[in-house]
mmCIF file of all heavy atoms in Angstrom:
data_model
loop_
_atom_site.group_PDB
_atom_site.id
_atom_site.type_symbol
_atom_site.label_atom_id
_atom_site.label_comp_id
_atom_site.label_asym_id
_atom_site.label_seq_id
_atom_site.Cartn_x
_atom_site.Cartn_y
_atom_site.Cartn_z
ATOM 1 N N PHE A 4 0.813 -1.301 -0.052
ATOM 2 C CA PHE A 4 -0.001 -0.010 0.033
ATOM 3 C C PHE A 4 0.987 1.296 -0.009
ATOM 4 O O PHE A 4 0.530 2.246 -0.683
ATOM 5 C CB PHE A 4 -0.992 0.034 1.243
ATOM 6 C CG PHE A 4 -1.771 1.148 1.222
ATOM 7 C CD1 PHE A 4 -2.907 1.193 0.410
ATOM 8 C CD2 PHE A 4 -1.683 2.213 2.211
ATOM 9 C CE1 PHE A 4 -3.822 2.308 0.416
ATOM 10 C CE2 PHE A 4 -2.640 3.208 2.161
ATOM 11 C CZ PHE A 4 -3.612 3.282 1.323
ATOM 12 N N GLY A 5 1.919 1.195 0.818
ATOM 13 C CA GLY A 5 2.806 2.304 0.893
ATOM 14 C C GLY A 5 3.605 2.692 -0.480
ATOM 15 O O GLY A 5 3.749 3.722 -0.867
ATOM 16 N N ILE A 6 4.064 1.535 -1.107
ATOM 17 C CA ILE A 6 4.726 1.632 -2.393
ATOM 18 C C ILE A 6 3.818 2.273 -3.430
ATOM 19 O O ILE A 6 4.265 3.141 -4.136
ATOM 20 C CB ILE A 6 5.274 0.200 -2.802
ATOM 21 C CG1 ILE A 6 6.583 -0.064 -2.057
ATOM 22 C CG2 ILE A 6 5.682 0.374 -4.249
ATOM 23 C CD1 ILE A 6 7.090 -1.511 -2.198
ATOM 24 N N ASP A 7 2.592 1.732 -3.546
ATOM 25 C CA ASP A 7 1.636 2.352 -4.471
ATOM 26 C C ASP A 7 1.151 3.750 -4.151
ATOM 27 O O ASP A 7 0.863 4.577 -4.975
ATOM 28 C CB ASP A 7 0.329 1.458 -4.476
ATOM 29 C CG ASP A 7 0.423 0.265 -5.357
ATOM 30 O OD1 ASP A 7 1.212 0.330 -6.280
ATOM 31 O OD2 ASP A 7 -0.227 -0.772 -5.035
ATOM 32 N N LEU A 8 1.360 4.213 -2.912
ATOM 33 C CA LEU A 8 1.072 5.554 -2.524
ATOM 34 C C LEU A 8 2.250 6.407 -2.936
ATOM 35 O O LEU A 8 2.089 7.612 -3.361
ATOM 36 C CB LEU A 8 0.863 5.600 -0.989
ATOM 37 C CG LEU A 8 0.652 7.058 -0.548
ATOM 38 C CD1 LEU A 8 -0.697 7.551 -0.959
ATOM 39 C CD2 LEU A 8 0.483 7.080 1.023
ATOM 40 N N ALA A 9 3.507 5.922 -2.756
ATOM 41 C CA ALA A 9 4.642 6.736 -2.980
ATOM 42 C C ALA A 9 5.137 6.877 -4.429
ATOM 43 O O ALA A 9 5.685 7.838 -4.857
ATOM 44 C CB ALA A 9 5.877 6.210 -2.127
ATOM 45 N N LEU A 10 4.930 5.769 -5.294
ATOM 46 C CA LEU A 10 5.464 5.744 -6.555
ATOM 47 C C LEU A 10 4.368 6.223 -7.539
ATOM 48 O O LEU A 10 3.181 5.913 -7.476
ATOM 49 C CB LEU A 10 5.829 4.332 -6.898
ATOM 50 C CG LEU A 10 6.891 3.686 -5.930
ATOM 51 C CD1 LEU A 10 7.313 2.402 -6.585
ATOM 52 C CD2 LEU A 10 8.106 4.683 -5.669
ATOM 53 N N GLY A 11 4.911 7.000 -8.572
ATOM 54 C CA GLY A 11 3.903 7.676 -9.427
ATOM 55 C C GLY A 11 3.595 6.912 -10.752
ATOM 56 O O GLY A 11 4.028 5.722 -10.809
ATOM 57 N N SER A 12 3.036 7.657 -11.738
ATOM 58 C CA SER A 12 2.536 7.019 -12.864
ATOM 59 C C SER A 12 3.681 6.645 -13.871
ATOM 60 O O SER A 12 3.457 5.824 -14.610
ATOM 61 C CB SER A 12 1.620 7.931 -13.656
ATOM 62 O OG SER A 12 2.272 9.149 -13.946
ATOM 63 N N VAL A 13 4.915 7.074 -13.557
ATOM 64 C CA VAL A 13 6.027 6.874 -14.453
ATOM 65 C C VAL A 13 6.381 5.275 -14.312
ATOM 66 O O VAL A 13 7.019 4.725 -15.363
ATOM 67 C CB VAL A 13 7.328 7.560 -13.969
ATOM 68 C CG1 VAL A 13 7.138 9.072 -14.285
ATOM 69 C CG2 VAL A 13 7.667 7.423 -12.560
ATOM 70 N N ILE A 14 5.942 4.552 -13.234
ATOM 71 C CA ILE A 14 6.243 3.260 -13.255
ATOM 72 C C ILE A 14 5.085 2.325 -13.872
ATOM 73 O O ILE A 14 5.122 1.006 -13.765
ATOM 74 C CB ILE A 14 6.532 2.702 -11.812
ATOM 75 C CG1 ILE A 14 5.328 2.663 -10.930
ATOM 76 C CG2 ILE A 14 7.594 3.495 -11.254
ATOM 77 C CD1 ILE A 14 5.442 1.961 -9.659
ATOM 78 N N ASP A 15 4.168 2.908 -14.434
ATOM 79 C CA ASP A 15 3.059 2.216 -15.110
ATOM 80 C C ASP A 15 3.229 2.087 -16.623
ATOM 81 O O ASP A 15 2.346 1.542 -17.270
ATOM 82 C CB ASP A 15 1.714 2.797 -14.686
ATOM 83 C CG ASP A 15 1.298 2.686 -13.339
ATOM 84 O OD1 ASP A 15 1.181 1.492 -12.944
ATOM 85 O OD2 ASP A 15 1.084 3.737 -12.632
ATOM 86 N N ARG A 16 4.426 2.263 -17.012
ATOM 87 C CA ARG A 16 4.829 1.917 -18.486
ATOM 88 C C ARG A 16 5.265 0.605 -18.455
ATOM 89 O O ARG A 16 5.888 0.107 -17.562
ATOM 90 C CB ARG A 16 5.589 3.021 -19.087
ATOM 91 C CG ARG A 16 7.139 2.935 -18.554
ATOM 92 C CD ARG A 16 8.063 3.763 -19.479
ATOM 93 N NE ARG A 16 9.479 3.806 -18.984
ATOM 94 C CZ ARG A 16 10.308 2.921 -19.292
ATOM 95 N NH1 ARG A 16 10.019 1.888 -19.891
ATOM 96 N NH2 ARG A 16 11.540 3.169 -18.798
ATOM 97 N N GLU A 17 5.192 -0.101 -19.612
ATOM 98 C CA GLU A 17 5.773 -1.394 -19.867
ATOM 99 C C GLU A 17 7.162 -1.360 -19.816
ATOM 100 O O GLU A 17 7.821 -0.590 -20.501
ATOM 101 C CB GLU A 17 5.229 -2.062 -21.165
ATOM 102 C CG GLU A 17 5.557 -3.363 -21.369
ATOM 103 C CD GLU A 17 5.055 -4.019 -22.697
ATOM 104 O OE1 GLU A 17 3.903 -4.365 -22.703
ATOM 105 O OE2 GLU A 17 5.805 -3.814 -23.799
ATOM 106 N N ALA A 18 7.847 -2.193 -19.000
ATOM 107 C CA ALA A 18 9.335 -2.278 -19.009
ATOM 108 C C ALA A 18 9.831 -3.084 -20.164
ATOM 109 O O ALA A 18 9.172 -4.115 -20.549
ATOM 110 C CB ALA A 18 9.739 -2.974 -17.708
ATOM 111 N N SER A 19 10.907 -2.493 -20.738
ATOM 112 C CA SER A 19 11.588 -3.291 -21.806
ATOM 113 C C SER A 19 12.139 -4.701 -21.303
ATOM 114 O O SER A 19 12.373 -4.745 -20.075
ATOM 115 C CB SER A 19 12.692 -2.521 -22.467
ATOM 116 O OG SER A 19 13.789 -2.527 -21.577
ATOM 117 N N PRO A 20 12.400 -5.640 -22.108
ATOM 118 C CA PRO A 20 12.995 -6.863 -21.708
ATOM 119 C C PRO A 20 14.301 -6.651 -20.759
ATOM 120 O O PRO A 20 14.414 -7.260 -19.790
ATOM 121 C CB PRO A 20 13.274 -7.752 -22.897
ATOM 122 C CG PRO A 20 12.320 -7.243 -23.794
ATOM 123 C CD PRO A 20 12.045 -5.814 -23.553
ATOM 124 N N TYR A 21 15.044 -5.692 -21.205
ATOM 125 C CA TYR A 21 16.408 -5.386 -20.430
ATOM 126 C C TYR A 21 15.985 -4.796 -19.206
ATOM 127 O O TYR A 21 16.657 -5.101 -18.192
ATOM 128 C CB TYR A 21 17.170 -4.486 -21.365
ATOM 129 C CG TYR A 21 18.552 -4.253 -20.775
ATOM 130 C CD1 TYR A 21 19.573 -5.191 -20.899
ATOM 131 C CD2 TYR A 21 18.969 -3.163 -19.945
ATOM 132 C CE1 TYR A 21 20.872 -5.076 -20.366
ATOM 133 C CE2 TYR A 21 20.073 -3.020 -19.390
ATOM 134 C CZ TYR A 21 21.064 -3.882 -19.620
ATOM 135 O OH TYR A 21 22.352 -3.727 -18.938
ATOM 136 N N GLU A 22 14.998 -3.925 -19.165
ATOM 137 C CA GLU A 22 14.702 -3.225 -17.951
ATOM 138 C C GLU A 22 14.051 -4.259 -16.783
ATOM 139 O O GLU A 22 14.011 -3.902 -15.677
ATOM 140 C CB GLU A 22 13.644 -2.019 -18.143
ATOM 141 C CG GLU A 22 14.271 -0.977 -18.839
ATOM 142 C CD GLU A 22 13.215 0.133 -19.304
ATOM 143 O OE1 GLU A 22 12.120 -0.172 -19.600
ATOM 144 O OE2 GLU A 22 13.632 1.224 -19.459
ATOM 145 N N HIS A 23 13.486 -5.374 -17.267
ATOM 146 C CA HIS A 23 13.107 -6.352 -16.313
ATOM 147 C C HIS A 23 14.232 -6.790 -15.410
ATOM 148 O O HIS A 23 13.987 -7.400 -14.310
ATOM 149 C CB HIS A 23 12.495 -7.709 -17.042
ATOM 150 C CG HIS A 23 11.114 -7.402 -17.601
ATOM 151 N ND1 HIS A 23 10.722 -6.489 -18.435
ATOM 152 C CD2 HIS A 23 9.978 -8.111 -17.177
ATOM 153 C CE1 HIS A 23 9.449 -6.556 -18.802
ATOM 154 N NE2 HIS A 23 8.914 -7.532 -18.013
ATOM 155 N N LEU A 24 15.394 -6.524 -15.813
ATOM 156 C CA LEU A 24 16.511 -7.079 -15.092
ATOM 157 C C LEU A 24 16.903 -6.235 -13.894
ATOM 158 O O LEU A 24 17.887 -6.463 -13.165
ATOM 159 C CB LEU A 24 17.751 -7.075 -15.926
ATOM 160 C CG LEU A 24 17.639 -7.923 -17.267
ATOM 161 C CD1 LEU A 24 18.988 -7.972 -18.085
ATOM 162 C CD2 LEU A 24 17.281 -9.373 -16.904
ATOM 163 N N PHE A 25 15.933 -5.320 -13.356
ATOM 164 C CA PHE A 25 16.122 -4.697 -12.121
ATOM 165 C C PHE A 25 15.726 -5.477 -11.009
ATOM 166 O O PHE A 25 16.048 -5.205 -9.843
ATOM 167 C CB PHE A 25 15.423 -3.338 -12.140
ATOM 168 C CG PHE A 25 13.945 -3.421 -11.734
ATOM 169 C CD1 PHE A 25 13.543 -3.285 -10.476
ATOM 170 C CD2 PHE A 25 12.972 -3.647 -12.754
ATOM 171 C CE1 PHE A 25 12.211 -3.399 -10.086
ATOM 172 C CE2 PHE A 25 11.593 -3.716 -12.406
ATOM 173 C CZ PHE A 25 11.291 -3.652 -10.914
ATOM 174 N N LEU A 26 15.128 -6.596 -11.328
ATOM 175 C CA LEU A 26 14.765 -7.679 -10.215
ATOM 176 C C LEU A 26 15.843 -8.856 -10.383
ATOM 177 O O LEU A 26 15.957 -9.450 -11.421
ATOM 178 C CB LEU A 26 13.403 -8.252 -10.421
ATOM 179 C CG LEU A 26 12.278 -7.218 -10.169
ATOM 180 C CD1 LEU A 26 10.916 -7.864 -10.385
ATOM 181 C CD2 LEU A 26 12.246 -6.732 -8.651
ATOM 182 N N PRO A 27 16.330 -9.143 -9.279
ATOM 183 C CA PRO A 27 17.423 -10.247 -9.231
ATOM 184 C C PRO A 27 16.922 -11.591 -9.864
ATOM 185 O O PRO A 27 17.515 -12.234 -10.595
ATOM 186 C CB PRO A 27 17.735 -10.458 -7.809
ATOM 187 C CG PRO A 27 17.586 -9.071 -7.175
ATOM 188 C CD PRO A 27 16.346 -8.502 -7.952
ATOM 189 N N ILE A 28 15.533 -11.939 -9.640
ATOM 190 C CA ILE A 28 14.966 -13.185 -10.171
ATOM 191 C C ILE A 28 15.023 -13.152 -11.721
ATOM 192 O O ILE A 28 15.266 -14.184 -12.339
ATOM 193 C CB ILE A 28 13.645 -13.398 -9.523
ATOM 194 C CG1 ILE A 28 13.382 -14.984 -9.787
ATOM 195 C CG2 ILE A 28 12.752 -12.481 -10.067
ATOM 196 C CD1 ILE A 28 14.165 -16.024 -9.222
ATOM 197 N N TYR A 29 14.941 -11.986 -12.260
ATOM 198 C CA TYR A 29 14.871 -11.836 -13.747
ATOM 199 C C TYR A 29 16.328 -12.070 -14.300
ATOM 200 O O TYR A 29 16.492 -12.490 -15.362
ATOM 201 C CB TYR A 29 14.240 -10.511 -14.208
ATOM 202 C CG TYR A 29 12.701 -10.797 -14.314
ATOM 203 C CD1 TYR A 29 11.897 -10.598 -13.263
ATOM 204 C CD2 TYR A 29 12.184 -11.082 -15.549
ATOM 205 C CE1 TYR A 29 10.519 -10.785 -13.356
ATOM 206 C CE2 TYR A 29 10.753 -11.340 -15.726
ATOM 207 C CZ TYR A 29 9.898 -11.149 -14.610
ATOM 208 O OH TYR A 29 8.588 -11.300 -14.737
ATOM 209 N N VAL A 30 17.371 -11.440 -13.542
ATOM 210 C CA VAL A 30 18.730 -11.625 -13.914
ATOM 211 C C VAL A 30 19.007 -13.056 -13.970
ATOM 212 O O VAL A 30 19.679 -13.871 -14.714
ATOM 213 C CB VAL A 30 19.602 -10.885 -12.975
ATOM 214 C CG1 VAL A 30 21.144 -11.009 -13.287
ATOM 215 C CG2 VAL A 30 19.341 -9.394 -13.038
ATOM 216 N N TYR A 31 18.614 -13.807 -12.865
ATOM 217 C CA TYR A 31 18.803 -15.278 -12.715
ATOM 218 C C TYR A 31 18.307 -16.015 -13.888
ATOM 219 O O TYR A 31 18.930 -16.947 -14.438
ATOM 220 C CB TYR A 31 18.142 -15.758 -11.449
ATOM 221 C CG TYR A 31 18.087 -17.224 -11.280
ATOM 222 C CD1 TYR A 31 19.269 -18.013 -10.902
ATOM 223 C CD2 TYR A 31 16.860 -17.879 -11.356
ATOM 224 C CE1 TYR A 31 19.151 -19.373 -10.867
ATOM 225 C CE2 TYR A 31 16.742 -19.227 -11.231
ATOM 226 C CZ TYR A 31 17.777 -19.950 -10.866
ATOM 227 O OH TYR A 31 17.579 -21.360 -10.807
ATOM 228 N N GLU A 32 17.011 -15.769 -14.269
ATOM 229 C CA GLU A 32 16.365 -16.427 -15.377
ATOM 230 C C GLU A 32 16.929 -16.035 -16.682
ATOM 231 O O GLU A 32 17.158 -16.952 -17.559
ATOM 232 C CB GLU A 32 14.879 -16.220 -15.361
ATOM 233 C CG GLU A 32 14.067 -16.707 -14.202
ATOM 234 C CD GLU A 32 14.043 -18.197 -14.153
ATOM 235 O OE1 GLU A 32 14.358 -18.837 -15.212
ATOM 236 O OE2 GLU A 32 13.803 -18.844 -13.115
ATOM 237 N N GLN A 33 17.343 -14.792 -16.842
ATOM 238 C CA GLN A 33 17.989 -14.340 -18.076
ATOM 239 C C GLN A 33 19.206 -15.016 -18.333
ATOM 240 O O GLN A 33 19.676 -15.281 -19.386
ATOM 241 C CB GLN A 33 18.204 -12.818 -18.043
ATOM 242 C CG GLN A 33 18.573 -12.253 -19.384
ATOM 243 C CD GLN A 33 17.789 -12.577 -20.530
ATOM 244 O OE1 GLN A 33 16.507 -12.311 -20.643
ATOM 245 N NE2 GLN A 33 18.260 -13.271 -21.448
ATOM 246 N N MET A 34 20.073 -15.334 -17.302
ATOM 247 C CA MET A 34 21.416 -15.945 -17.524
ATOM 248 C C MET A 34 21.250 -17.285 -18.082
ATOM 249 O O MET A 34 22.160 -17.775 -18.771
ATOM 250 C CB MET A 34 22.229 -15.988 -16.192
ATOM 251 C CG MET A 34 22.605 -14.592 -15.689
ATOM 252 S SD MET A 34 23.640 -13.674 -16.824
ATOM 253 C CE MET A 34 25.117 -14.506 -16.811
ATOM 254 N N LYS A 35 20.124 -17.921 -17.831
ATOM 255 C CA LYS A 35 19.927 -19.269 -18.600
ATOM 256 C C LYS A 35 19.701 -19.185 -19.963
ATOM 257 O O LYS A 35 19.713 -20.271 -20.663
ATOM 258 C CB LYS A 35 18.658 -19.966 -17.808
ATOM 259 C CG LYS A 35 18.758 -20.217 -16.316
ATOM 260 C CD LYS A 35 17.515 -20.831 -15.944
ATOM 261 C CE LYS A 35 17.410 -20.950 -14.391
ATOM 262 N NZ LYS A 35 16.159 -21.492 -13.861
#
């Protein structure tokens, strides 16, 4: 709830495949 309150509309755009790599689990999957 706090994150949705604090973060703005700029994070509601679709992330590019490369931008998904800000999450460690996506880096892990991408290395495969």
Side-chain angles (χ1 to χ4, degrees):
F4 184 72
I6 285 175
D7 277 330
L8 179 65
L10 302 187
S12 61
V13 293
I14 71 167
D15 286 303
R16 72 169 176 85
E17 186 179 274
S19 69
Y21 188 83
E22 288 172 333
H23 280 60
L24 302 183
F25 83 93
L26 289 178
I28 192 63
Y29 273 86
V30 177
Y31 165 77
E32 292 294 340
Q33 183 58 60
M34 292 303 288
K35 299 178 184 179

